[in-house]
Amino acid sequence: MLLSDIAPPATIDRALAILDAFDQLFGTPTSELELRAVIGAILLHTEHIQALPHEMAALIEAVEAAYRSGARVAAGDLANAAAEVAAKRIKDWLQTREEALFGGLAAYAQQFDSTLDSAAELVDVTQTMIAILNDGQLSAPEGRWLLQTALEKFDLTKALQKWVPPEWFAIANQVAQYRKNASFESTVFGVVQAYIQRFQSLLTPELMQHVLKNGTLNVDPQQLLEGDIVRLTEVMLFKMQLLEASPPVTKSAEEIAAQLHTAIREFKARRRIRDLSQPTALGDLEVSGGFSMAPSEQPDFERTIERADGLGEDRQS
Protein backbone atom coordinates (compact mmCIF):
# COMPACT_ATOMS: atom_id res chain seq x y z
CA MET A 1 0.00 0.00 0.00
CA LEU A 2 1.28 3.44 -0.93
CA LEU A 3 1.74 6.09 1.73
CA SER A 4 -0.66 8.36 -0.15
CA ASP A 5 -3.34 5.66 0.21
CA ILE A 6 -3.06 5.84 3.99
CA ALA A 7 -2.78 9.61 4.25
CA PRO A 8 -3.33 11.94 1.27
CA PRO A 9 -1.23 15.11 0.91
CA ALA A 10 -3.97 17.15 2.60
CA THR A 11 -3.50 15.07 5.75
CA ILE A 12 0.22 15.80 5.80
CA ASP A 13 -0.51 19.50 5.30
CA ARG A 14 -2.93 19.58 8.24
CA ALA A 15 -0.48 17.70 10.45
CA LEU A 16 2.25 20.21 9.60
CA ALA A 17 -0.08 23.13 10.34
CA ILE A 18 -0.89 21.64 13.77
CA LEU A 19 2.80 21.03 14.42
CA ASP A 20 3.51 24.65 13.55
CA ALA A 21 0.81 25.77 15.99
CA PHE A 22 2.22 23.41 18.64
CA ASP A 23 5.65 25.01 18.21
CA GLN A 24 4.23 28.50 18.63
CA LEU A 25 2.10 27.65 21.66
CA PHE A 26 4.33 25.26 23.59
CA GLY A 27 7.78 25.47 22.04
CA THR A 28 9.56 23.01 19.79
CA PRO A 29 9.55 19.42 21.10
CA THR A 30 12.77 18.92 23.01
CA SER A 31 13.65 15.50 21.61
CA GLU A 32 13.03 13.29 18.61
CA LEU A 33 10.92 11.03 20.84
CA GLU A 34 8.66 13.90 21.87
CA LEU A 35 8.36 15.16 18.29
CA ARG A 36 7.32 11.72 17.05
CA ALA A 37 4.89 11.37 19.95
CA VAL A 38 3.23 14.66 18.99
CA ILE A 39 3.04 13.62 15.33
CA GLY A 40 1.60 10.22 16.27
CA ALA A 41 -1.05 11.86 18.47
CA ILE A 42 -1.99 14.26 15.67
CA LEU A 43 -2.38 11.47 13.13
CA LEU A 44 -4.41 9.27 15.47
CA HIS A 45 -6.60 11.81 17.22
CA THR A 46 -7.15 14.65 14.79
CA GLU A 47 -6.72 12.86 11.46
CA HIS A 48 -8.06 9.50 12.73
CA ILE A 49 -5.54 7.48 10.73
CA GLN A 50 -6.01 3.71 10.95
CA ALA A 51 -2.91 1.82 9.87
CA LEU A 52 -0.75 -1.19 10.66
CA PRO A 53 2.32 -0.54 12.85
CA HIS A 54 4.78 -0.38 9.93
CA GLU A 55 2.44 1.89 7.95
CA MET A 56 2.01 4.29 10.86
CA ALA A 57 5.77 4.35 11.40
CA ALA A 58 6.36 5.26 7.75
CA LEU A 59 3.73 7.99 7.89
CA ILE A 60 5.20 9.50 11.07
CA GLU A 61 8.65 9.50 9.45
CA ALA A 62 7.23 11.28 6.39
CA VAL A 63 5.62 14.02 8.48
CA GLU A 64 8.80 14.36 10.56
CA ALA A 65 10.93 14.72 7.41
CA ALA A 66 8.61 17.39 6.01
CA TYR A 67 8.66 19.22 9.34
CA ARG A 68 12.45 19.16 9.60
CA SER A 69 12.75 20.38 6.01
CA GLY A 70 10.95 23.54 7.04
CA ALA A 71 7.79 22.80 5.07
CA ARG A 72 4.96 25.13 5.98
CA VAL A 73 1.43 25.35 4.72
CA ALA A 74 -0.11 28.67 3.74
CA ALA A 75 -3.38 29.06 5.63
CA GLY A 76 -5.85 31.74 6.51
CA ASP A 77 -6.75 32.97 9.99
CA LEU A 78 -9.58 30.46 10.35
CA ALA A 79 -7.31 27.54 9.51
CA ASN A 80 -4.66 28.83 11.91
CA ALA A 81 -7.23 29.06 14.68
CA ALA A 82 -8.36 25.48 14.03
CA ALA A 83 -4.74 24.29 14.12
CA GLU A 84 -4.21 26.05 17.45
CA VAL A 85 -7.29 24.37 18.94
CA ALA A 86 -6.05 20.98 17.72
CA ALA A 87 -2.55 21.65 19.09
CA LYS A 88 -3.96 22.47 22.53
CA ARG A 89 -5.93 19.24 22.53
CA ILE A 90 -2.86 17.24 21.55
CA LYS A 91 -0.91 18.85 24.39
CA ASP A 92 -3.71 18.01 26.84
CA TRP A 93 -3.93 14.46 25.51
CA LEU A 94 -0.22 13.80 26.06
CA GLN A 95 -0.30 15.43 29.49
CA THR A 96 -3.23 13.31 30.65
CA ARG A 97 -1.49 10.18 29.34
CA GLU A 98 1.54 11.09 31.44
CA GLU A 99 -0.62 11.72 34.52
CA ALA A 100 -2.41 8.40 34.05
CA LEU A 101 0.87 6.50 33.77
CA PHE A 102 2.28 8.07 36.92
CA GLY A 103 -0.96 7.30 38.75
CA GLY A 104 -0.66 3.66 37.71
CA LEU A 105 3.00 3.48 38.70
CA ALA A 106 2.19 5.00 42.10
CA ALA A 107 -0.47 2.35 42.70
CA TYR A 108 1.95 -0.39 41.64
CA ALA A 109 4.70 0.96 43.88
CA GLN A 110 2.34 0.98 46.88
CA GLN A 111 0.88 -2.45 46.11
CA PHE A 112 4.03 -4.29 45.09
CA ASP A 113 6.88 -2.15 46.40
CA SER A 114 9.14 -5.14 47.01
CA THR A 115 9.30 -5.87 43.26
CA LEU A 116 10.62 -2.45 42.27
CA ASP A 117 14.15 -3.29 43.32
CA SER A 118 16.15 -2.63 40.16
CA ALA A 119 16.31 -0.44 37.11
CA ALA A 120 15.36 -3.41 34.91
CA GLU A 121 12.24 -4.02 37.01
CA LEU A 122 11.23 -0.37 36.73
CA VAL A 123 11.63 -0.46 32.94
CA ASP A 124 9.58 -3.65 32.55
CA VAL A 125 6.84 -2.50 34.94
CA THR A 126 6.57 0.78 33.05
CA GLN A 127 6.47 -0.90 29.63
CA THR A 128 3.81 -3.32 30.82
CA MET A 129 1.78 -0.56 32.46
CA ILE A 130 1.79 1.51 29.25
CA ALA A 131 0.72 -1.52 27.18
CA ILE A 132 -2.10 -2.48 29.55
CA LEU A 133 -3.40 1.08 29.83
CA ASN A 134 -3.17 1.65 26.09
CA ASP A 135 -6.54 0.28 24.90
CA GLY A 136 -5.43 0.85 21.33
CA GLN A 137 -5.36 4.63 21.64
CA LEU A 138 -1.59 5.25 21.47
CA SER A 139 0.90 5.21 18.65
CA ALA A 140 4.20 3.45 19.32
CA PRO A 141 6.13 6.78 19.46
CA GLU A 142 3.71 8.04 22.12
CA GLY A 143 4.36 4.89 24.14
CA ARG A 144 8.13 5.25 23.80
CA TRP A 145 7.95 8.89 24.82
CA LEU A 146 5.87 7.95 27.88
CA LEU A 147 8.42 5.28 28.78
CA GLN A 148 11.32 7.71 28.54
CA THR A 149 9.39 10.36 30.49
CA ALA A 150 8.66 7.90 33.29
CA LEU A 151 12.28 6.76 33.49
CA GLU A 152 13.45 10.36 33.70
CA LYS A 153 10.83 11.68 36.14
CA PHE A 154 9.65 8.76 38.27
CA ASP A 155 10.32 9.40 41.96
CA LEU A 156 9.53 6.41 44.15
CA THR A 157 9.43 8.44 47.37
CA LYS A 158 6.71 10.70 45.94
CA ALA A 159 4.91 7.73 44.39
CA LEU A 160 4.67 5.99 47.75
CA GLN A 161 3.16 9.14 49.31
CA LYS A 162 0.77 9.86 46.46
CA TRP A 163 -2.96 9.28 46.86
CA VAL A 164 -4.45 7.38 43.94
CA PRO A 165 -8.04 6.24 43.37
CA PRO A 166 -8.78 2.63 44.43
CA GLU A 167 -9.36 1.45 40.86
CA TRP A 168 -5.68 2.00 40.06
CA PHE A 169 -4.78 -0.83 42.43
CA ALA A 170 -6.81 -3.15 40.20
CA ILE A 171 -4.71 -1.98 37.25
CA ALA A 172 -1.58 -2.64 39.34
CA ASN A 173 -2.81 -6.19 39.97
CA GLN A 174 -3.29 -6.72 36.23
CA VAL A 175 0.28 -5.59 35.59
CA ALA A 176 1.59 -7.90 38.31
CA GLN A 177 -0.44 -10.85 37.00
CA TYR A 178 0.89 -10.32 33.49
CA ARG A 179 4.48 -9.98 34.68
CA LYS A 180 4.29 -13.23 36.69
CA ASN A 181 4.15 -15.00 33.34
CA ALA A 182 7.37 -13.56 31.94
CA SER A 183 8.29 -16.90 30.39
CA PHE A 184 4.98 -16.88 28.50
CA GLU A 185 5.67 -13.42 27.08
CA SER A 186 9.20 -14.44 26.14
CA THR A 187 7.92 -17.55 24.33
CA VAL A 188 5.28 -15.63 22.37
CA PHE A 189 7.71 -12.88 21.39
CA GLY A 190 10.29 -15.46 20.33
CA VAL A 191 7.81 -17.30 18.12
CA VAL A 192 6.58 -14.07 16.54
CA GLN A 193 10.11 -12.82 15.84
CA ALA A 194 11.14 -16.18 14.36
CA TYR A 195 8.06 -16.20 12.13
CA ILE A 196 8.73 -12.65 10.93
CA GLN A 197 12.36 -13.45 10.09
CA ARG A 198 11.69 -16.80 8.43
CA PHE A 199 8.69 -15.83 6.34
CA GLN A 200 9.50 -12.13 5.80
CA SER A 201 6.21 -11.27 7.44
CA LEU A 202 5.09 -8.11 9.24
CA LEU A 203 4.12 -7.61 12.85
CA THR A 204 0.32 -7.52 12.78
CA PRO A 205 -2.53 -8.13 15.25
CA GLU A 206 -3.52 -11.19 13.20
CA LEU A 207 -0.06 -12.75 13.52
CA MET A 208 0.03 -12.17 17.28
CA GLN A 209 -3.48 -13.56 17.77
CA HIS A 210 -2.64 -16.63 15.64
CA VAL A 211 0.35 -17.40 17.85
CA LEU A 212 -1.71 -16.97 21.03
CA LYS A 213 -4.50 -19.22 19.79
CA ASN A 214 -2.50 -21.92 18.01
CA GLY A 215 1.03 -21.85 19.38
CA THR A 216 2.38 -24.44 21.82
CA LEU A 217 2.78 -22.19 24.86
CA ASN A 218 3.80 -22.80 28.45
CA VAL A 219 0.83 -20.84 29.85
CA ASP A 220 -2.78 -20.83 28.75
CA PRO A 221 -3.57 -17.34 27.35
CA GLN A 222 -7.01 -17.67 28.97
CA GLN A 223 -5.30 -17.20 32.35
CA LEU A 224 -4.19 -13.65 31.52
CA LEU A 225 -6.16 -10.39 31.48
CA GLU A 226 -9.47 -12.06 32.31
CA GLY A 227 -9.06 -14.42 29.37
CA ASP A 228 -9.72 -11.67 26.83
CA ILE A 229 -7.60 -12.82 23.88
CA VAL A 230 -8.28 -9.67 21.86
CA ARG A 231 -7.07 -7.45 24.70
CA LEU A 232 -4.11 -9.72 25.40
CA THR A 233 -3.21 -9.49 21.71
CA GLU A 234 -3.31 -5.69 21.83
CA VAL A 235 -1.19 -5.57 24.98
CA MET A 236 1.47 -7.94 23.65
CA LEU A 237 1.53 -6.30 20.22
CA PHE A 238 2.04 -2.86 21.70
CA LYS A 239 4.68 -4.03 24.14
CA MET A 240 6.59 -5.60 21.25
CA GLN A 241 6.48 -2.24 19.48
CA LEU A 242 7.88 -0.56 22.60
CA LEU A 243 10.67 -3.11 22.82
CA GLU A 244 11.61 -2.65 19.16
CA ALA A 245 13.07 0.76 19.88
CA SER A 246 13.05 1.34 23.61
CA PRO A 247 14.65 4.66 24.58
CA PRO A 248 17.84 4.66 26.60
CA VAL A 249 17.60 5.10 30.35
CA THR A 250 19.01 8.51 31.15
CA LYS A 251 19.51 7.78 34.85
CA SER A 252 22.19 5.23 35.59
CA ALA A 253 21.00 1.82 36.73
CA GLU A 254 22.87 2.32 40.00
CA GLU A 255 21.16 5.67 40.64
CA ILE A 256 17.70 4.22 40.02
CA ALA A 257 18.42 1.15 42.14
CA ALA A 258 19.68 3.27 45.05
CA GLN A 259 16.62 5.53 44.89
CA LEU A 260 14.29 2.53 44.80
CA HIS A 261 16.02 0.82 47.74
CA THR A 262 15.95 3.92 49.95
CA ALA A 263 12.36 4.84 49.17
CA ILE A 264 11.07 1.29 49.72
CA ARG A 265 12.85 1.02 53.06
CA GLU A 266 11.37 4.35 54.23
CA PHE A 267 7.91 3.40 53.00
CA LYS A 268 7.95 0.08 54.86
CA ALA A 269 9.01 1.88 58.02
CA ARG A 270 6.01 4.25 57.78
CA ARG A 271 3.31 1.63 57.20
CA ARG A 272 0.83 1.32 60.06
CA ILE A 273 -2.50 -0.08 58.87
CA ARG A 274 -2.00 -2.84 56.28
CA ASP A 275 0.64 -4.61 54.29
CA LEU A 276 0.43 -3.02 50.87
CA SER A 277 2.78 -5.59 49.38
CA GLN A 278 -0.14 -8.04 49.35
CA PRO A 279 -2.66 -8.01 46.50
CA THR A 280 -5.92 -6.17 47.08
CA ALA A 281 -9.13 -8.15 46.61
CA LEU A 282 -10.89 -6.74 43.59
CA GLY A 283 -14.37 -8.01 44.40
CA ASP A 284 -16.84 -6.89 41.77
CA LEU A 285 -14.70 -3.95 40.66
CA GLU A 286 -14.53 -3.74 36.89
CA VAL A 287 -11.54 -1.98 35.44
CA SER A 288 -10.73 -0.87 31.93
CA GLY A 289 -7.55 0.72 30.64
CA GLY A 290 -6.89 4.21 31.91
CA PHE A 291 -6.08 5.45 28.43
CA SER A 292 -9.53 4.63 27.03
CA MET A 293 -11.34 7.36 25.17
CA ALA A 294 -15.00 8.29 25.05
CA PRO A 295 -17.01 10.32 22.51
CA SER A 296 -16.39 14.04 22.75
CA GLU A 297 -18.71 16.89 22.02
CA GLN A 298 -16.01 18.46 19.88
CA PRO A 299 -16.67 17.55 16.22
CA ASP A 300 -13.04 17.76 15.14
CA PHE A 301 -11.70 15.72 18.07
CA GLU A 302 -14.09 12.84 18.48
CA ARG A 303 -12.71 11.22 21.58
CA THR A 304 -11.29 12.32 24.93
CA ILE A 305 -9.84 10.75 28.05
CA GLU A 306 -11.95 9.43 30.88
CA ARG A 307 -10.15 10.55 34.01
CA ALA A 308 -10.60 9.17 37.48
CA ASP A 309 -11.59 11.85 39.98
CA GLY A 310 -8.56 13.30 41.65
CA LEU A 311 -6.03 11.53 39.40
CA GLY A 312 -2.80 13.45 39.43
CA GLU A 313 -3.40 15.12 42.81
CA ASP A 314 -0.84 14.37 45.46
CA ARG A 315 -2.01 13.72 48.97
CA GLN A 316 -0.33 12.21 51.96
CA SER A 317 -1.09 8.50 52.30
Side-chain angles (χ1 to χ4, degrees):
M1 180 178 291
L2 297 175
L3 201 59
S4 58
D5 294 331
I6 305 169
T11 297
I12 306 294
D13 289 347
R14 284 193 299 270
L16 289 171
I18 295 170
L19 268 176
D20 195 36
F22 192 97
D23 276 1
Q24 294 178 30
L25 291 170
F26 308 110
T28 302
T30 57
S31 68
E32 182 178 3
L33 270 176
E34 184 182 5
L35 174 59
R36 291 190 173 190
V38 172
I39 294 172
I42 291 171
L43 294 174
L44 276 176
H45 305 305
T46 64
E47 298 303 317
H48 311 293
I49 298 295
Q50 299 295 322
L52 291 173
H54 69 283
E55 296 170 338
M56 181 61 77
L59 182 55
I60 289 173
E61 288 178 4
V63 175
E64 180 185 9
Y67 170 81
R68 292 191 182 281
S69 72
R72 291 295 183 269
V73 180
D77 291 340
L78 184 61
N80 288 336
E84 288 184 1
V85 170
K88 289 176 182 177
R89 288 177 181 152
I90 293 301
K91 179 69 172 180
D92 183 64
W93 164 256
L94 293 173
Q95 184 174 342
T96 54
R97 300 294 66 69
E98 183 180 334
E99 291 172 358
L101 176 59
F102 278 92
L105 289 174
Y108 191 94
Q110 294 173 29
Q111 189 83 340
F112 303 103
D113 59 277
S114 61
T115 67
L116 284 174
D117 55 3
S118 71
E121 291 287 317
L122 177 60
V123 170
D124 188 64
V125 167
T126 305
Q127 289 173 332
T128 305
M129 181 74 69
I130 292 170
I132 285 180
L133 290 177
N134 175 24
D135 268 3
Q137 301 300 330
L138 289 177
S139 64
E142 289 172 85
R144 292 172 190 142
W145 171 77
L146 282 170
L147 174 59
Q148 183 66 71
T149 300
L151 297 179
E152 290 176 349
K153 296 183 179 180
F154 180 72
D155 186 311
L156 186 60
T157 300
K158 292 181 179 179
L160 293 173
Q161 296 173 350
K162 182 185 183 71
W163 181 88
V164 290
E167 56 264 32
W168 282 106
F169 291 97
I171 294 289
N173 273 289
Q174 290 185 5
V175 173
Q177 178 202 40
Y178 181 93
R179 294 187 68 245
K180 282 180 181 178
N181 295 283
S183 61
F184 170 79
E185 178 186 84
S186 178
T187 299
V188 172
F189 287 3
V191 171
V192 170
Q193 289 169 340
Y195 187 95
I196 290 173
Q197 291 174 6
R198 180 173 179 180
F199 299 103
Q200 300 300 302
S201 180
L202 297 168
L203 178 61
T204 65
E206 291 76 18
L207 174 58
M208 184 70 76
Q209 196 166 108
H210 181 78
V211 171
L212 289 174
K213 287 183 175 180
N214 302 294
T216 302
L217 305 172
N218 51 7
V219 175
D220 184 354
Q222 297 291 338
Q223 297 177 16
L224 294 173
L225 299 179
E226 295 80 43
D228 187 338
I229 294 296
V230 173
R231 183 161 181 248
L232 180 58
T233 298
E234 292 174 348
V235 167
M236 300 194 83
L237 179 72
F238 196 76
K239 191 169 180 184
M240 278 200 75
Q241 292 180 67
L242 292 180
L243 292 170
E244 282 179 359
S246 294
V249 181
T250 53
K251 292 181 181 178
S252 69
E254 292 80 5
E255 181 184 354
I256 294 175
Q259 180 202 30
L260 295 175
H261 177 73
T262 301
I264 288 171
R265 185 175 56 190
E266 293 174 351
F267 177 62
K268 288 180 175 178
R270 290 198 309 271
R271 289 191 294 193
R272 303 184 184 91
I273 300 175
R274 64 185 179 92
D275 184 359
L276 292 176
S277 68
Q278 300 302 314
T280 297
L282 304 185
D284 296 327
L285 181 63
E286 295 182 1
V287 179
S288 61
F291 289 177
S292 61
M293 301 178 75
S296 169
E297 296 179 357
Q298 301 294 338
D300 56 343
F301 195 78
E302 295 174 355
R303 295 179 177 181
T304 187
I305 185 68
E306 293 177 357
R307 286 176 166 180
D309 292 338
L311 184 61
E313 297 178 3
D314 287 348
R315 303 187 207 171
Q316 295 294 326
S317 57

